[in-house]
Amino acid sequence: MNFHPFVKLFLCAALLAPAAFAQETVESVRRQIKAVEAETAREKSLHDTEKKRHAEFVEVGRKKVQALAAQNKTLKAEIDSLKAELSHLAEARQKTAGTVRWFEGRKAKYGETLAKVIDSLAPVFESDFPYRNEEAVKSVQEIAGQLHKGLIEADDALNRTLEVFYDRIRLGYTTEVYKGFLQVDARSVPGTYLRYGAVESIFVSNDGNDVLWLSRGTDGTYRWNNVSDNLAMRTALKDVMKVAEGKTAPRLVTIPVVVPKEGL
């Protein structure tokens, strides 16, 4: 049978097509098998890696648990030791509490007694040499009040009281000239004071009409004496004031001083 060439070509193509298709199917299957094998190998590698990491994690956890157990044991021993020490401290505190209360009571009584003693000094300063007496009295009364209220400690109160005494003692070896007022026959007279230690004080009014000097009576009280018409004494006291104020050349002057009979 004779076929047309075109028909022959078609028949050849038709015969070759199944063979080519079969070849392509085999290659595709092989590629899929390799892909599956590669994926299986990769998953196995990941599984092995994960298994190793898990084993390491378990080992690290085990060591941490052991370390924590050892630490817990040590802490428990320390806690037991601290409990024992706290128990001893509590016993010691109970023993000393009574002593502390006793000393606190003594301290409070001492403070009360000292406050009364300091407050009793007010009349002493009131009758002292008449110079800033009110300040001294106010100071000791304030110290006594603060000590009584517990605002200051006894040591502080005592030191402050001694300071008031020292200020009064310093009067004995200092001389001072200052301006002020003096009650003279119900008049408030402005003038100048001269304080000579804690022994004597002189007052001369600004107009020079009133000249007085301080004296202490037999009863211990101080009073101002007006020289009145005693011209000699008026002149002497004015000279004393001029020398004290530096209005004249320095020289020896006479200051009246009252000496108690028992001191003679």
Side-chain angles (χ1 to χ4, degrees), residues 30-90:
R30 288 176 177 173
R31 285 196 300 271
Q32 290 180 2
I33 291 172
K34 289 182 178 180
V36 171
E37 290 177 348
E39 182 64 22
T40 302
R42 188 180 69 81
E43 290 183 356
K44 184 177 183 302
S45 177
L46 291 175
H47 177 72
D48 292 341
T49 302
E50 186 64 24
K51 184 178 180 182
K52 183 179 180 182
R53 287 175 55 193
H54 178 71
E56 292 176 351
F57 176 77
V58 171
E59 181 63 19
V60 171
R62 186 181 65 81
K63 290 181 178 179
K64 286 185 176 180
V65 170
Q66 290 178 347
L68 287 174
Q71 185 178 4
N72 185 47
K73 185 177 180 180
T74 302
L75 288 175
K76 187 176 182 302
E78 291 181 357
I79 290 172
D80 292 340
S81 176
L82 288 174
K83 286 182 178 179
E85 185 175 354
L86 287 174
S87 178
H88 292 315
L89 289 174

Side-chain angles (χ1 to χ4, degrees), residues 43-213:
E43 290 183 356
K44 184 177 183 302
S45 177
L46 291 175
H47 177 72
D48 292 341
T49 302
E50 186 64 24
K51 184 178 180 182
K52 183 179 180 182
R53 287 175 55 193
H54 178 71
E56 292 176 351
F57 176 77
V58 171
E59 181 63 19
V60 171
R62 186 181 65 81
K63 290 181 178 179
K64 286 185 176 180
V65 170
Q66 290 178 347
L68 287 174
Q71 185 178 4
N72 185 47
K73 185 177 180 180
T74 302
L75 288 175
K76 187 176 182 302
E78 291 181 357
I79 290 172
D80 292 340
S81 176
L82 288 174
K83 286 182 178 179
E85 185 175 354
L86 287 174
S87 178
H88 292 315
L89 289 174
E91 292 177 1
R93 188 180 295 110
Q94 290 177 353
K95 291 180 181 179
T96 57
T99 305
V100 171
R101 286 193 296 270
W102 183 80
F103 275 109
E104 287 295 332
R106 289 292 301 273
K107 180 181 177 182
K109 290 181 180 179
Y110 172 71
E112 288 292 334
T113 303
L114 182 60
K116 291 179 181 179
V117 172
I118 293 175
D119 190 57
S120 68
L121 296 174
V124 176
F125 290 116
E126 286 176 349
S127 61
D128 193 20
F129 184 80
Y131 176 76
R132 300 174 64 178
N133 301 60
E134 294 181 358
E135 294 182 19
V137 171
K138 183 179 179 181
S139 294
V140 295
Q141 289 177 341
E142 180 180 351
I143 294 169
Q146 291 180 350
L147 180 59
H148 178 72
K149 295 176 181 178
L151 300 178
I152 58 176
E153 295 293 333
D155 292 344
D156 187 21
L158 185 58
N159 290 334
R160 287 171 58 182
T161 303
L162 290 176
E163 272 298 319
V164 177
F165 269 105
Y166 293 152
D167 287 339
R168 302 301 296 181
I169 292 172
R170 280 190 283 268
L171 295 178
Y173 52 86
T174 59
T175 301
E176 183 181 6
V177 177
Y178 58 97
K179 298 291 184 179
F181 290 83
L182 179 65
Q183 288 295 121
V184 180
D185 299 330
R187 294 178 296 119
S188 182
V189 180
T192 304
Y193 286 89
L194 164 63
R195 178 183 60 79
Y196 184 75
V199 176
E200 188 57 73
S201 187
I202 296 170
F203 177 82
V204 178
S205 64
N206 291 340
D207 57 12
N209 293 328
D210 295 291
V211 179
L212 298 94
W213 60 284

Side-chain angles (χ1 to χ4, degrees), residues 239-251:
D239 288 343
V240 170
M241 187 64 73
K242 288 179 181 179
V243 173
E245 291 182 297
K247 294 181 178 179
T248 185
R251 58 190 176 84

